[in-house]
Amino acid sequence: MPLPPLSLYIHIPWCVAKCPYCDFHSLARRGPLPEGPYVRALLDDLDRSQAALRGRKIQTIFFGGGTPSLFAGAAVGEILEGVNRRATLEADCEITLEANPGTIDSRRFQAFREAGVTRLSLGVQSLHDPSLRRLGRIHNARDAYDAMEAAAGAGFRSFNIDLMYGLPDQTAAKALADVRAALAVDPPHLSLYELTIEAHTAFAHDPPVLPSEDERMAIEDAVTQAAGAAGYDRYEVSAYTRPGYRCAHNLNYWRFGDYLGLGAGAHSKLTGPEGVTRVARIADPARYMGDHDRIASRRLMARRDVVFEFLLNALRLTEGFSQDLLYARTGYDFTDLESLWAHAVTRSLLWREGDWIRTTPLGRRFLDALLAEFLAITEIMPAEVS
Ligand SMILES: C[S@@+](CC[C@H](N)C(=O)[O-])C[C@H]1O[C@@H](n2cnc3c(N)ncnc32)[C@H](O)[C@@H]1O
Ligand code: SF4
């Protein structure tokens, strides 16, 4: 069986300030960033991860965070040169970098482009100043417009705008105004995330008043319809694109491809002869830079967990998944997992058409509940390793 496509994820764990809703591995920087030592640690980590690369090309690279745009273009260039020396990149390798509008200017964007970045992802979140303040963002709407304009003019192949909805005090009209303002910039790609209150965040300790369940439904309908009416294709639960601009890196996650994650707190999913292994790097940047043993945990997955995680990802895609993809990633075909689909198809939550399975609009709306059912079923499957 051929191995899945391989992506590279590079985690930059620092931000200017920690946002109260964020549970990503990130911490507020104190003083200048240790760019040199961190770049050396990343490349040393890659040297020690050669077994994962053997014979495989890297399809996509993603600098995520934290706030990768805090790094200078030269540091990003050094990382990419180092990766190029140690690995083979696919000819049209998509290289994305996440940027916070409070940390960039057009010169910095130009430097990222010259370093080899092909795609930017801008964390705009909202274009309404009171919402940005409530979210603890370090930028205002003016900064976000400037960043979007600079991204559009810097010659990247593509750029994405992240917006959040269901914000404190938000109404459907306000959410719609946010999305329409972002659409007016005509981004090739748009991500619309409903704000979730994650455990261990400042918002979890001191929760803001969120719109009611009914209001949240109305907001979701309004924002998804606005993106659709503007000609964007909703190809994943939160991702909207102009034709030809899907995010290849995220598509590899959703199709349950492999990825090597480098950097403090980064996660990997790698397939080998023994099965699918999940690896986590130590999250503390000082220890990540100071220690050659950077692995916090390594776990060979049980086959039933592989099935569940495949569904967790692939059912997010509007296209769903084919029997061939299910078989390639899990070793099961549709008939082996009949107990999963049959009931969901009867209740119009899933469509099964020939060799494809995907969610119906109803299934997409209640995806979390559907996945909870799948989890309960897969948990009682035999626990053989993958
Ligand atoms: C890893 S963050 C990185 C972006 C960059 N650090 C920034 O914030 O500008 C990726 C995106 O996830 C979304 N996000 C983060 N926390 C979220 C939450 N609790 N609920 C919904 N979306 C969230 C935001 O839209 C954010 O831009
Ligand atoms: S800037 Fe982004 S990664 Fe950093 S704390 Fe805020 S949301 Fe999280």
Side-chain angles (χ1 to χ4, degrees), residues 134-146:
R134 189 68 185 89
L135 291 172
R137 298 295 293 179
I138 57 165
H139 59 89
N140 59 24
R142 186 67 260 157
D143 299 327
Y145 280 115
D146 289 347

Side-chain angles (χ1 to χ4, degrees), residues 41-42 44-50 52 259-270 277-284 287-300:
L42 284 172
D44 180 64
D45 195 356
L46 183 56
D47 280 333
R48 288 163 201 277
S49 308
Q50 283 298 313
Y259 49 93
L260 172 64
L262 303 178
H267 290 257
S268 307
K269 178 233 156 200
L270 296 162
T277 301
R278 289 223 172 263
V279 185
R281 296 304 196 258
I282 45 182
D284 174 9
R287 281 188 55 208
Y288 181 84
M289 287 183 282
D291 201 339
H292 290 315
D293 182 14
R294 304 188 172 89
I295 307 298
S297 67
R298 188 189 296 276
R299 182 173 59 89
L300 186 61

Side-chain angles (χ1 to χ4, degrees), residues 123-179:
V124 167
Q125 320 308 356
S126 170
L127 289 160
H128 182 59
D129 279 333
S131 295
L132 287 169
R133 277 195 294 276
R134 189 68 185 89
L135 291 172
R137 298 295 293 179
I138 57 165
H139 59 89
N140 59 24
R142 186 67 260 157
D143 299 327
Y145 280 115
D146 289 347
M148 292 191 286
E149 202 176 300
F156 291 97
R157 199 187 105 61
S158 175
F159 68 96
N160 165 62
I161 294 175
D162 280 344
L163 282 189
M164 293 196 292
Y165 63 87
L167 307 180
D169 301 321
Q170 198 174 47
T171 58
K174 279 187 194 164
L176 198 53
D178 253 1
V179 172

